[in-house]
Amino acid sequence: MKSKILHSFIIGAVIAVVFIVAITIAAELMLPLKDFLKINFYHHWIGKGVAALGIFVIIGVLCLIFPLGKKDYWINFWIWMLVIAAAIGSLAITGFFIYEALIK
């Protein structure tokens, strides 16, 4: 049961990381989105955090109800996907802000 919970919420974390990267870049490019987050959550970062937390929990619970794989080796696969998503996401956000600050 522990591995099922771990597996489910690692998948939720991967999707939450991808969401945070996407919404961070999208909010900088589309000011109405950033304004929507500010108006509804007091600050755009709080809005992104609340939305990411919701995605993490919803995906984690859905994966508990509808498991994607039953073998323990899938946990290793999803941990690596989380590491890769975090690394690529960090590079994408850093690259985007460098582009915005220096080139644009």
Side-chain angles (χ1 to χ4, degrees):
M1 183 64 179
K2 285 182 184 180
S3 65
K4 184 177 178 183
I5 294 169
L6 183 63
H7 182 242
S8 299
F9 284 96
I10 291 171
I11 294 170
V14 170
I15 295 172
V17 166
V18 171
F19 169 78
I20 288 173
V21 171
I23 198 165
T24 299
I25 293 172
E28 293 298 323
L29 294 174
M30 296 181 285
L31 290 180
L33 175 59
K34 194 172 192 175
D35 291 339
F36 170 81
L37 292 170
K38 286 180 193 177
I39 291 167
N40 291 300
F41 297 99
Y42 179 71
H43 193 275
H44 61 99
W45 275 109
I46 294 172
K48 292 172 194 175
V50 169
L53 179 62
I55 287 170
F56 171 73
V57 171
I58 289 168
I59 297 298
V61 170
L62 285 174
C63 288
L64 273 173
I65 296 169
F66 307 106
L68 295 176
K70 297 184 183 207
K71 303 283 185 190
D72 283 343
Y73 68 85
W74 282 109
I75 292 174
N76 291 333
F77 171 80
W78 284 107
I79 288 174
W80 276 109
M81 290 298 102
L82 181 57
V83 169
I84 290 167
I88 291 172
S90 297
L91 291 172
I93 290 174
T94 301
F96 174 76
F97 282 116
I98 289 172
Y99 168 78
E100 286 285 308
L102 300 178
I103 298 172
K104 190 173 177 185

